[in-house]
Amino acid sequence: MTNGNNQREFFLDSIRAYLMLLGIPFHLSLIYSSHTWSVNSLTPSFSLTVLNDVIHAFRMQVFFIISGYFSFMLYQRYERKRWLKVRLERVAIPLLSSIPLITLPQFFLLKYATHKLDGWDGFDLYQKINVAVWELVSHLWFLLTLSLLTCAAFYLFRKIKAIKTPIAPFPINNMNSLGKISLYFFIYGIAYSATHRIILITAPQLPGNGLFNFVVMETLFYLPFFLLGAYAFKYAWLKEIFLTPSPKAVLGALLLFIAYMLNQKLLAHSDLMFEVEVLIKIVLGILMTNVVFSFGHRLLNYHSPRITYLVNASLFIYLVHHPLTLLYGAFVTPYISNNIVGFLVGLVFVFGLAFILYEAHKRVPLLRFLFSGKPQTPKLPLTKA
């Protein structure tokens, strides 16, 4: 057994920040894609639909592997209860703060400026509560999932840390190649899809329940990625699999991207679309982790003030970009007939305002705390000798 490096790995910080920032082109391209969203352009763009599908197909799987890696790295440093406190502060405080400050105003934006919530007055109590859960969690779902995974890791990481033998436990000990990792995750995808199908047959209303979807289904989907990241920190040989460039992974990812887009188009109205998408995304997540890690390790593994700034800004920018994108889609998109031009203008609009808001919020200690979870300790004034 070889323990992971306890020094900060800049390329993983950079990748995580870029994955967060990809949320902006993802949601902007969603406006111009053939997918139905809260706001859409009059005519869809094929190229922006492809861009949207590519981003959506792999981004969060890689993100949760990195999250598991860094979470276990911190678990090695801190006492268990302090680790839980620190980790929950980092994810739960921004989550709870963003609901009243971001997604609640966003809810009223959707209600009065879009057709997303048409028919609200005719909903029964359950429908209103369920829709409210979907819209108030909204793009904050990954913080909720991270909070739940952190609570689970409080117990699971203790078992991983307690392993003293050089041989990893099953099935990690068999994951000695990218192909074998993909195979085990594919098997997990089959089990996950079968569970979803059983739920759909026995309780057809349950998959549409926002609370069940966020708390149960999303957590179960990303749990193996999160744990794989933790094991990649503990066993250097496992991390090395993802750092070693693989032409087969690039080719496999390309084929799976094509399969993902064909599934979106050909099985759009089929009951099988969800299960096929799960199987594609779960394997694609593994292959793209290799692609992203290997290129990132080669190109981004250095300290840079610019990258440090993006790392620090990425969470806040992700949190505020969603309502900014909806504002742009509702009030600006209808006046720009060219989809590509509209998308590019939207990038400038959302990124520009998001960075301005980030700089403004840095000057208010309470807001810095609410959107980062980090205690804001004032700097002591310098004293004269």
Side-chain angles (χ1 to χ4, degrees), residues 177-383:
S177 70
L178 204 58
K180 289 184 179 179
I181 298 173
S182 301
L183 176 61
Y184 277 103
F185 270 69
F186 182 78
I187 294 171
Y188 182 84
I190 293 175
Y192 180 91
S193 299
T195 301
H196 176 267
R197 175 59 57 176
I198 292 171
I199 293 171
L200 197 61
I201 294 172
T202 58
Q205 299 300 319
L206 202 52
N209 182 282
L211 191 61
F212 178 80
N213 178 76
F214 291 128
V215 173
V216 178
M217 299 307 291
E218 295 288 357
T219 304
L220 288 177
F221 183 82
Y222 289 106
L223 176 62
F225 293 98
F226 189 79
L227 292 178
L228 183 64
Y231 278 111
F233 180 84
K234 186 174 182 69
Y235 297 103
W237 59 264
L238 181 58
K239 180 175 70 174
E240 191 63 27
I241 293 174
F242 292 112
L243 295 182
T244 304
S246 171
K248 291 182 180 179
V250 176
L251 177 60
L254 178 61
L255 294 175
L256 286 175
F257 278 128
I258 295 172
Y260 180 85
M261 289 182 283
L262 289 175
N263 180 56
Q264 295 286 315
K265 183 176 181 63
L266 300 179
L267 297 181
H269 304 291
S270 169
D271 291 340
L272 294 175
M273 190 191 84
F274 178 84
E275 283 82 3
V276 174
E277 179 177 315
V278 164
L279 295 176
I280 293 172
K281 287 181 66 175
I282 208 161
V283 177
L284 183 58
I286 298 300
L287 298 183
M288 283 302 296
T289 299
N290 172 269
V291 174
V292 172
F293 277 29
S294 59
F295 278 97
H297 186 255
R298 178 180 297 179
L299 302 175
L300 300 172
N301 199 26
Y302 59 90
H303 174 68
S304 163
R306 178 178 61 86
I307 296 297
T308 300
Y309 177 84
L310 289 178
V311 168
N312 293 332
S314 59
L315 175 59
F316 178 86
I317 289 173
Y318 180 84
L319 293 177
V320 301
H321 90 276
H322 199 264
L324 293 176
T325 303
L326 290 172
L327 282 169
Y328 179 81
F331 297 107
V332 181
T333 294
Y335 297 98
I336 302 178
S337 58
N338 186 288
N339 287 335
I340 300 298
V341 172
F343 173 74
L344 295 176
V345 172
L347 288 177
V348 175
F349 175 87
V350 177
F351 269 116
L353 284 181
F355 276 109
I356 290 172
L357 290 173
Y358 172 69
E359 288 297 326
H361 109 286
K362 282 167 51 178
R363 289 156 175 77
V364 183
L366 177 60
L367 290 179
R368 292 204 308 269
F369 169 71
L370 292 177
F371 287 111
S372 72
K374 298 178 182 179
Q376 303 298 310
T377 54
K379 295 181 179 179
L380 296 176
L382 296 176
T383 55

Side-chain angles (χ1 to χ4, degrees), residues 34-216:
S34 58
H35 305 303
T36 302
W37 196 46
S38 305
V39 286
N40 286 104
S41 60
L42 291 177
T43 57
S45 163
F46 174 76
S47 59
L48 292 176
T49 300
V50 171
L51 175 64
N52 182 263
D53 286 342
V54 167
I55 295 173
H56 185 59
F58 80 95
R59 183 171 66 106
M60 297 312 296
Q61 300 94 297
V62 180
F63 175 86
F64 276 99
I65 288 178
I66 297 175
S67 296
Y69 185 94
F70 281 140
S71 292
F72 191 72
M73 180 183 70
L74 293 176
Y75 188 87
Q76 296 279 59
R77 295 179 181 178
Y78 293 149
E79 185 273 330
R80 287 178 72 231
K81 291 183 179 179
R82 183 171 177 236
W83 172 85
L84 182 65
K85 177 179 180 294
V86 169
R87 292 303 300 153
L88 285 181
E89 285 176 345
R90 296 293 190 273
V91 293
I93 290 176
L95 168 65
L96 296 175
S97 302
S98 296
I99 290 176
L101 295 176
I102 294 178
T103 57
L104 182 59
Q106 179 180 280
F107 175 85
F108 289 103
L109 170 65
L110 290 172
K111 190 172 187 296
Y112 295 109
T114 75
H115 297 291
K116 177 73 179 291
L117 300 180
D118 285 354
W120 171 265
D121 293 335
F123 292 170
D124 60 32
L125 181 61
Y126 170 79
Q127 289 174 318
K128 288 184 176 180
I129 293 175
N130 190 40
V131 169
V133 169
W134 280 104
E135 300 305 334
L136 292 181
V137 174
S138 184
H139 65 297
L140 309 177
W141 68 267
F142 84 98
L143 287 174
L144 176 58
T145 300
L146 271 178
S147 298
L148 295 171
L149 290 175
T150 298
C151 293
F154 180 71
Y155 301 98
L156 296 174
F157 280 4
R158 179 170 58 180
K159 296 181 179 180
I160 299 175
K161 186 177 181 180
I163 300 171
K164 302 301 181 184
T165 63
I167 300 176
F170 179 84
I172 299 298
N173 62 327
N174 288 336
M175 295 184 184
N176 54 12
S177 70
L178 204 58
K180 289 184 179 179
I181 298 173
S182 301
L183 176 61
Y184 277 103
F185 270 69
F186 182 78
I187 294 171
Y188 182 84
I190 293 175
Y192 180 91
S193 299
T195 301
H196 176 267
R197 175 59 57 176
I198 292 171
I199 293 171
L200 197 61
I201 294 172
T202 58
Q205 299 300 319
L206 202 52
N209 182 282
L211 191 61
F212 178 80
N213 178 76
F214 291 128
V215 173
V216 178

